[in-house]
Amino acid sequence: VRISQEFTVSLPLIGSVDVKNKTARQAQELIRQLYDRDYLVNPQVSLFVVEYAKRYVNVLGAVGSPGQIVFPPEEGLNLIDAITKAGGFARVANKKDVTLKRTNADGTTDTKKINVADILNGKTDETWPLQPNDVISVPEIFL
């Protein structure tokens, strides 16, 4: 059974089940409890993930291969990892003026200017964890 865009699954006898913000194990236990409550005696429920929904960030500008970068399933991705997956900085990249644009749930947009050179040189511990649909823009340096 596929999980809908609303994070629900529709199952025989128990109907629609909300699995939002649940791990696979938590969803499995919830479904088992729902069947056990009214329909089956000691139900055995097995739940496994066949395919994860693809999550992306976009890396644009002065990198080796600009474009969409896929988040690894069930893992996070930070700014340096995304730039590395996009082929790293181009020779003309301005590492001191990288832009991270994020659209919030309410539709507003946050834009941050990040000095990635400081991160690479160990001057800051900030890793800048990314969220799906973030846009990273690496400008060229002007001489």
Side-chain angles (χ1 to χ4, degrees):
V1 176
R2 285 194 177 270
I3 297 175
S4 73
Q5 294 291 333
E6 295 80 30
F7 303 100
T8 61
V9 291
S10 184
L11 299 168
L13 302 175
I14 59 175
S16 183
V17 179
D18 184 8
V19 294
K20 185 173 185 176
N21 296 325
K22 294 196 176 8
T23 65
R25 189 173 305 230
Q26 290 169 333
Q28 179 177 301
E29 180 58 22
L30 173 63
I31 293 166
R32 190 198 68 71
Q33 289 172 358
L34 291 171
Y35 275 118
D36 189 42
R37 183 173 51 189
D38 293 324
Y39 299 101
L40 303 172
V41 176
N42 194 22
Q44 302 300 309
V45 175
S46 296
L47 187 142
F48 56 95
V49 178
V50 175
E51 180 183 27
Y52 290 94
K54 301 232 186 301
R55 303 178 302 162
Y56 300 96
V57 296
N58 291 295
V59 182
L60 310 171
V63 293
S65 299
Q68 286 187 329
I69 304 299
V70 178
F71 269 77
E74 289 194 351
E75 293 180 24
L77 188 68
N78 67 38
L79 183 68
I80 299 297
D81 293 339
I83 292 170
T84 301
K85 288 180 182 238
F89 288 107
R91 194 170 45 86
V92 295
N94 182 353
K95 299 174 189 169
K96 295 181 179 183
D97 200 23
V98 174
T99 303
L100 172 61
K101 188 185 294 186
R102 176 171 295 156
T103 302
N104 300 311
D106 63 2
T108 60
T109 302
D110 291 333
T111 302
K112 305 278 187 200
K113 293 284 187 181
I114 303 165
N115 186 338
V116 179
D118 283 350
I119 298 170
L120 296 173
N121 293 326
K123 293 181 180 177
T124 180
D125 292 334
E126 182 67 60
T127 59
W128 293 95
L130 300 176
Q131 295 178 4
N133 303 317
D134 281 353
V135 178
I136 301 163
S137 181
V138 180
E140 290 184 1
I141 197 163
F142 293 104
L143 302 175

